[in-house]
């Protein structure tokens, strides 16, 4: 699948600091320690609706990770999937009397446009679940052959399920107890009450064909894959086991990331699937949770249509720490627009305070678990000094502009 257009990341003097990130599996901020190439997998959208601000906040988070690794001297191998076959997509297509393929293609195209407008660096591999079905079938067959998966006893629909206890480590990524797992599993696409399963937490690997649903031929019979196995297959086949970071929104901690790790570790016998599991917080609107059911989603494409500067959207979303659940408001956007104008004025001055100290502070804050509020405060202070004519460095305005672009992804 085609990814979106990239842009050149400016080179700035010096080298960034090693990146430290929160890891949900250990409950602490730990150093990332990539080799020459840093490897990252971020779970993509299910394309049944346009890109909302929750999506944007997630992909901006891992865009910052990408940028800090680049600044620290690493190459980056970034893989992202897109779940272009799953129940929510089929349900939306049926509701709107749309073709599910056309719906998925349309929303994927819009997502790419939104990411490009927000200046998110694209993955090297952007893989749809549909195009990955042959490799998904292959890994399911291995799980069945190795005794980690089984068919339910159902004459009509003998679906294939994963034995969640296969590795003996299930639950290490989320650290949730069984009661919480069961509640979230039911809420987020699981089927704990499915008759014939060995355990309520066993997850679907292959859904046998139902009337009116798309299906693909396999050695198990015609059907389609479950949700979690696609990321296991796509990541393993492009990054291998033990890659540096698996990322997504905090709603993916369980079940999605727990199961994708369990599937992969059963397949390879290697632990852990990823060395860091890092998640972005949720975005609400004016004090309420943002959700499809409430009808209060704010779409990036709608903001763009209203001529809102995507750099202001980006800056507004970066003004709070990525791990916090936070709210989008008109005032937040206005503050970002004002800050953007202030920074732009400062970097177009003929001279300003020396750039080195503020760039160093910017690097230090971002290397410390992506502390964007502190990074932004450091830039605010420099801009105030510059606008107060407290500086004579002729090179500083251009150097700070380049650093803001390279490290925060904001074009002034």
């Amino acid at each position: 699948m085609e990814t979106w257009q990239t842009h050149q990341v400016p080179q700035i003097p010096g080298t960034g600091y090693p990146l430290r990130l929160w890891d949900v599996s250990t409950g602490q901020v730990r150093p990332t320690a990539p080799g020459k190439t840093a490897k990252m997998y971020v779970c993509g959208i299910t394309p049944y609706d346009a890109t909302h601000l929750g999506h944007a906040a997630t992909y901006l988070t891992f865009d910052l990770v990408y940028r800090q690794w680049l600044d620290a001297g690493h190459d980056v191998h970034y893989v992202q999937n897109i779940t272009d076959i799953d129940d929510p997509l089929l349900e939306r297509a049926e509701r709107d009397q749309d073709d599910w393929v056309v719906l998925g293609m349309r929303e994927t195209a819009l997502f790419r446009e939104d990411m490009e407008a927000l200046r998110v660096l694209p993955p090297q591999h952007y893989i749809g679940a549909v195009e990955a079905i042959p490799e998904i079938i292959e890994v399911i067959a291995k799980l069945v052959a190795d005794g980690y998966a089984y068919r339910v006893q159902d004459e009509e629909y003998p679906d294939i399920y994963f034995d969640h206890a296969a590795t003996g480590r299930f639950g290490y990524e989320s650290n949730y107890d069984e009661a919480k797992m069961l509640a979230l599993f039911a809420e987020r696409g699981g089927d704990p009450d499915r008759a014939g399963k060995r355990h309520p937490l066993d997850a679907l690997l292959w859904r046998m064909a139902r009337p009116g649903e798309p299906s693909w031929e396999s050695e198990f019979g015609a059907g389609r894959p479950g949700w979690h196995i696609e990321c296991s297959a796509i990541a393993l086949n492009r990054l291998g086991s033990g890659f540096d970071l698996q990322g997504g929104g905090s709603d993916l901690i369980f079940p999605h990331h727990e199961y994708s790790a369990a599937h992969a570790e059963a397949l390879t016998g290697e632990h852990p699937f990823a060395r860091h599991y890092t998640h972005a917080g949720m975005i609400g609107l004016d004090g309420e949770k943002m959700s499809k059911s409430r009808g209060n989603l704010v779409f990036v494409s709608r903001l763009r249509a209203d001529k809102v500067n995507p750099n202001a959207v980006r800056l507004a979303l970066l003004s709070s720490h990525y791990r916090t659940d936070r709210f989008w408001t008109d005032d937040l956007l206005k503050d970002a627009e004002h800050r953007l104008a202030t920074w732009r004025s400062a970097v177009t001055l003929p001279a300003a305070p020396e750039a080195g100290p503020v760039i160093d502070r910017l690097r230090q804050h971002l290397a410390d678990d992506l502390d964007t509020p502190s990074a932004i405060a450091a830039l605010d202070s420099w801009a105030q000094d510059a606008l107060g004519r407290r500086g004579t460095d002729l090179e500083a305005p251009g150097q700070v502009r380049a650093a803001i672009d390279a490290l925060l992804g904001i074009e002034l």
Side-chain angles (χ1 to χ4, degrees):
M1 186 172 288
E2 289 186 6
T3 188
W4 53 95
Q5 291 295 314
T6 191
H7 59 272
Q8 186 171 0
V9 178
Q11 294 292 313
I12 54 178
T15 304
Y17 295 92
L19 176 63
R20 300 171 67 248
L21 281 177
W22 177 265
D23 170 34
V24 71
S25 70
T26 58
Q28 60 184 334
V29 174
R30 298 192 297 110
T32 63
K36 184 180 185 302
T37 299
K39 299 179 181 180
M40 174 168 66
Y41 185 93
V42 178
C43 296
I45 63 167
T46 301
Y48 60 90
D49 214 338
T51 315
H52 57 69
L53 289 179
H55 294 136
T58 294
Y59 299 113
L60 288 178
T61 295
F62 297 102
D63 184 61
L64 291 186
V65 171
Y66 195 147
R67 291 170 184 274
Q68 307 329 300
W69 275 338
L70 287 178
D71 188 51
H74 300 285
D75 296 326
V76 180
H77 188 181
Y78 177 18
V79 179
Q80 187 179 135
N81 74 307
I82 183 161
T83 305
D84 53 357
I85 179 64
D86 200 17
D87 290 344
L89 177 65
L90 299 177
E91 290 163 4
R92 179 61 58 87
E94 182 177 6
R95 187 199 74 179
D96 296 346
Q97 296 186 318
D98 205 348
D99 182 285
W100 68 272
V101 176
V102 174
L103 172 61
M105 292 176 63
R106 183 173 65 243
E107 297 303 335
T108 300
L110 184 55
F111 174 78
R112 287 194 292 254
E113 292 173 9
D114 290 337
M115 292 297 99
E116 188 173 337
L118 290 170
R119 308 188 80 243
V120 173
L121 298 171
Q124 286 78 31
H125 299 282
Y126 189 48
I127 309 296
V130 170
E131 67 182 294
I133 282 178
E135 60 194 271
I136 295 170
I137 291 171
E138 183 178 344
V139 298
I140 294 173
K142 186 174 188 306
L143 288 171
V144 171
D146 290 347
Y148 298 136
Y150 62 93
R151 286 189 183 274
V152 294
Q153 298 301 308
D154 184 321
E155 291 186 5
E156 188 173 17
Y157 299 121
D159 303 325
I160 297 176
Y161 279 81
F162 175 73
D163 179 354
H164 80 287
T167 67
R169 287 185 294 268
F170 189 79
Y172 84 87
E173 183 266 336
S174 65
N175 292 299
Y176 295 157
D177 61 27
E178 185 170 300
K180 185 169 185 177
M181 288 183 186
L182 284 168
L184 289 174
F185 192 50
E187 178 185 322
R188 297 173 177 172
D191 55 356
D193 297 326
R194 169 70 195 271
K197 294 197 327 181
R198 295 175 184 171
H199 191 282
L201 283 174
D202 291 351
L204 179 68
L205 291 173
W206 189 257
R207 176 181 168 89
M208 302 302 292
R210 268 66 162 175
E213 290 188 3
S215 62
W216 289 263
E217 291 299 328
S218 78
E219 61 195 84
F220 329 114
R224 59 183 171 91
W227 175 24
H228 316 299
I229 190 63
E230 72 181 82
C231 287
S232 309
I234 291 170
L236 283 176
N237 286 339
R238 287 154 189 86
L239 297 174
S241 187
F243 56 91
D244 294 291
L245 171 65
Q246 182 176 31
S250 60
D251 56 339
L252 297 186
I253 295 172
F254 192 91
H256 187 55
H257 284 177
E258 193 75 68
Y259 283 101
S260 59
H263 295 339
E265 291 175 19
L267 282 162
T268 64
E270 298 175 4
H271 171 78
F273 177 46
R275 297 165 66 191
H276 259 79
Y277 297 96
T278 301
H279 304 86
M282 298 290 102
I283 305 297
L285 176 65
D286 294 327
E288 291 189 347
K289 180 181 178 181
M290 197 183 293
S291 67
K292 295 178 289 294
S293 60
R294 292 176 184 267
N296 65 346
L297 294 175
V298 178
F299 296 108
V300 174
S301 54
R302 180 69 265 169
L303 293 171
R304 292 197 292 119
D306 290 341
K307 308 302 182 185
V308 174
N309 185 340
N311 284 287
V313 176
R314 184 175 180 117
L315 184 52
L317 289 171
L318 297 182
S319 63
S320 296
H321 194 269
Y322 79 92
R323 284 196 279 124
T324 61
D325 293 338
R326 54 211 190 271
F327 295 105
W328 179 265
T329 65
D330 288 341
D331 286 343
L332 183 69
L333 180 58
K334 289 175 183 175
D335 288 346
E337 290 171 332
H338 175 73
R339 175 173 282 124
L340 198 63
T342 300
W343 289 3
R344 187 176 292 117
S345 295
V347 301
T348 53
L349 291 169
E354 185 182 354
V358 70
I359 293 175
D360 188 63
R361 289 198 297 275
L362 183 59
R363 280 172 158 152
Q364 287 188 50
H365 292 313
L366 291 173
D368 184 15
D369 196 29
L370 305 179
D371 183 0
T372 52
S374 294
I376 288 170
L379 290 166
D380 285 344
S381 178
W382 178 88
Q384 289 170 10
D385 287 346
L387 293 170
R389 308 295 177 177
R390 294 188 290 273
T392 59
D393 189 329
L394 301 179
E395 303 296 326
Q399 291 172 346
V400 172
R401 183 204 293 262
I404 291 170
D405 188 341
L407 300 177
L408 289 177
I410 294 168
E411 186 177 38
L412 297 176

